[in-house]
Amino acid sequence: MKLLSVAGARPNFMKIAALSAAVANYNLTKERLGSIHHIIVHTGQHYDKKMSQSFFDELEIPKPDINLEVGSGSHARQTAEIMMRFEHALLQEKPDVLLVVGDVNSTIACALVAAKIQYSSRGKRTRPLIVHVEAGLRSFDIAMPEEVNRVLTDSISDILFVTEPSAFTNLQREGVSEAKIHYVGNVMIDTLKRHLEQAKKSSILQSLGVSNKYALVTLHRPSNVDNLSVLRQIIDCLMSVSQEIPLVFPVHPRTKNKLIEFGLFNKLKQSKNITLSEPLGYLDFLNLITNATLVITDSGGIQEETTFLKIPCVTLRENTERPVTVKEGSNYLIGTKGSDVLETISLILSGQGKISQIPQYWDGMAGDRIISILAKEFFHTAERG
Ligand code: UD1
C-alpha cells in the first residue's frame, strides 16, 4: 500500500509524527497484512525553521519526500498554489491512499486535488482513497477559515477518523455513513505522550529567566489578531492578568506582524511581568505547558494538550470545535472580555478550578488504530478485487 501524507503547517507536524511512527510499527509487526510505503509531502505553508524544520528534527519525522515550497499568501493564492503543485506530486507518486490531517489550507487543498484526479493507470483505482484524520470537529462558525476547511474536507473524504464523540455526531448529522467514521482517539496526544519525558528535561524556563509560577499565552487566530480593536482589547486584558501572575508569551509570526503594524508590540515588550519569545520548538513548548499554572490561548490543539495534562486552559474564543475539552477536560471557553477572563483566572488561582478527566482513547495508541484500520480496509479490498 502506498500511503501519501500531507504536512503543511505547524499543527500538522505532531500529527504526522505519530502517524509515521505508527506506519513504521505496523511494518515491523508479524500480524501485518502487507507492507506500507509511506511518502510525506510538505506543502511549505509554514517554512520558518522555528515553525517547521525544528519539529521534523525534534519529533524525528522522516524528511519529506517532496516539498512544494508554497510559502505565505492570501487564502486563495496559497490554496491554489498548493493545488497546482500538489497535482504534479500526486500524478508522479500515484498513491493508493492520501492522508490529510487537521484543518489548515494544505488539508483542503490536497484533498480537493485528490478527489478530482484521474490516474491514467491500468489498475482499477483512478484516484486515491481520501482519509481525513481529526475529522468532524465543528465550531459552527463558518467565518473561521478552518471551519470551511473542515466541512469541505470531510465532505470529500472516504474514511474519517475522529478524536471525540461530538465529531462522530456532527458527521452523522451531515449524512456521512457510519461505516466511514472511526473513533480512534487523538494522534496529537500520541506524540505528546511519547515526548513528555524528554520535554521535562528542557531548560527553557532557565533560558527565558522565568520562575515556576506563570501563565503561558498563545494567540494567533485571525479573528483575534487581525483587527485592531479586538487585539487591543486582548492586549489590555493580558496586561491586567500580568498583575496577577507573570506571563510567558511565545509570539506567532502572524501575531507579531499585527502587533507591530498596530503599534502594540513595544507596550508588551516593555512590560516587566510579560516575557516574550520567538515561536518555540515542540519540546520547549511542551515543557512550558507542563510547568504552567494555567494557559491562555486561542489555539485548537493547545486546548487538547492542556486537557490531557490537566492544566487549566482559558480559551479566548466564543466557540470551540473541541467541546470535549470543556465538558470533560480542563478548558474554559471564555471569549475576549477582560472581566470574564480575569474572573476565571481568579477562580483557577484560588484553587477552585474544575476537576478534569482525560477523554476516551486519548491514550497514545490512536496512530496505531488508524494504520491498522487503513491496512485492513486496503488489503482486504485488494484481496477481493
Ligand atoms: C495556519 C492555519 C491555522 C493554524 C496555524 C498554526 C490556515 C487557514 N490556518 O494559520 O489553522 O492554527 O497555521 O500556526 O491554514 N508566517 C511566517 N513564517 C511561517 C509561516 C507563516 O512568518 O513559517 C507568517 C506570514 O506572515 C504569514 C502569516 O504568518 O502570512 C500567516 O501564516 P499562514 O500559514 O497563512 O496562517 P497561520 O496564521 O499560521
Side-chain angles (χ1 to χ4, degrees), residues 128-369:
L129 268 179
I130 303 171
V131 174
H132 187 201
V133 171
E134 207 183 81
L137 297 178
R138 297 287 180 269
S139 66
F140 302 102
D141 173 8
I142 205 69
M144 192 180 180
E146 292 81 3
E147 183 73 354
V148 178
N149 295 342
R150 292 181 200 116
V151 172
L152 297 183
T153 304
D154 288 342
S155 71
I156 52 175
S157 292
D158 302 300
I159 306 180
L160 302 99
F161 290 109
V162 304
T163 49
E164 62 164 280
S166 77
F168 204 107
T169 321
N170 292 335
L171 291 170
Q172 277 180 311
R173 198 187 311 113
E174 289 170 21
V176 178
S177 146
E178 252 185 57
K180 291 174 154 187
I181 316 171
H182 303 270
Y183 179 19
V184 288
N186 195 325
V187 284
M188 222 178 50
I189 302 301
D190 294 7
T191 297
L192 188 159
K193 277 192 86 167
R194 194 166 178 183
H195 291 87
L196 193 54
E197 285 314 308
Q198 214 183 334
K200 284 183 183 162
K201 294 182 196 142
S202 148
S203 53
I204 187 69
L205 284 180
Q206 292 91 298
S207 313
L208 294 175
V210 289
S211 73
N212 257 333
K213 192 171 181 208
Y214 61 89
L216 177 63
V217 179
T218 82
L219 206 60
H220 77 281
R221 287 272 150 247
S223 58
N224 280 343
V225 305
D226 285 5
N227 175 293
L228 169 61
S229 69
V230 180
L231 186 57
R232 191 190 284 134
Q233 181 189 336
I234 294 176
I235 298 305
D236 287 346
C237 168
L238 292 178
M239 302 293 278
S240 309
V241 174
S242 73
Q243 301 307 307
E244 307 294 321
I245 182 165
L247 303 183
V248 178
F249 183 5
V251 188
H252 185 285
R254 170 186 211 104
T255 310
K256 186 167 184 186
N257 292 343
K258 290 293 172 185
L259 286 167
I260 293 171
E261 185 187 325
F262 297 149
L264 296 167
F265 191 67
N266 282 340
K267 189 172 164 184
L268 272 181
K269 210 172 155 193
Q270 283 154 13
S271 165
K272 263 200 339 285
N273 292 336
I274 303 180
T275 305
L276 299 183
S277 84
E278 297 282 305
L280 296 171
Y282 184 80
L283 298 173
D284 286 342
F285 190 75
L286 183 53
N287 182 286
L288 283 182
I289 302 184
T290 315
N291 287 304
T293 306
L294 63 111
V295 174
I296 302 172
T297 191
D298 61 4
S299 149
I302 294 170
Q303 295 172 48
E304 298 182 330
E305 289 168 334
T306 47
T307 273
F308 180 80
L309 294 165
K310 302 195 173 188
I311 304 287
C313 177
V314 177
T315 297
L316 304 182
R317 286 174 50 189
E318 302 297 335
N319 52 53
T320 179
E321 60 288 335
R322 293 160 159 94
V324 76
T325 60
V326 178
K327 242 165 100 184
E328 295 181 27
S330 59
N331 191 16
Y332 297 79
L333 191 62
I334 300 302
T336 54
K337 213 168 123 206
S339 54
D340 295 344
V341 174
L342 283 167
E343 201 180 299
T344 309
I345 288 174
S346 308
L347 184 87
I348 295 168
L349 293 179
S350 71
Q352 291 171 300
K354 58 181 172 179
I355 313 235
S356 68
Q357 282 169 5
I358 297 174
Q360 193 187 12
Y361 297 142
W362 290 21
D363 56 1
M365 306 294 289
D368 291 328
R369 289 189 194 102

Side-chain angles (χ1 to χ4, degrees), residues 11 45-48 72 75 104-105 146 220 252-254 257:
Q45 178 174 346
H46 283 175
Y47 44 87
D48 283 355
S72 301
H75 283 276
V104 302
N105 285 344
E146 292 81 3
H220 77 281
H252 185 285
R254 170 186 211 104
N257 292 343

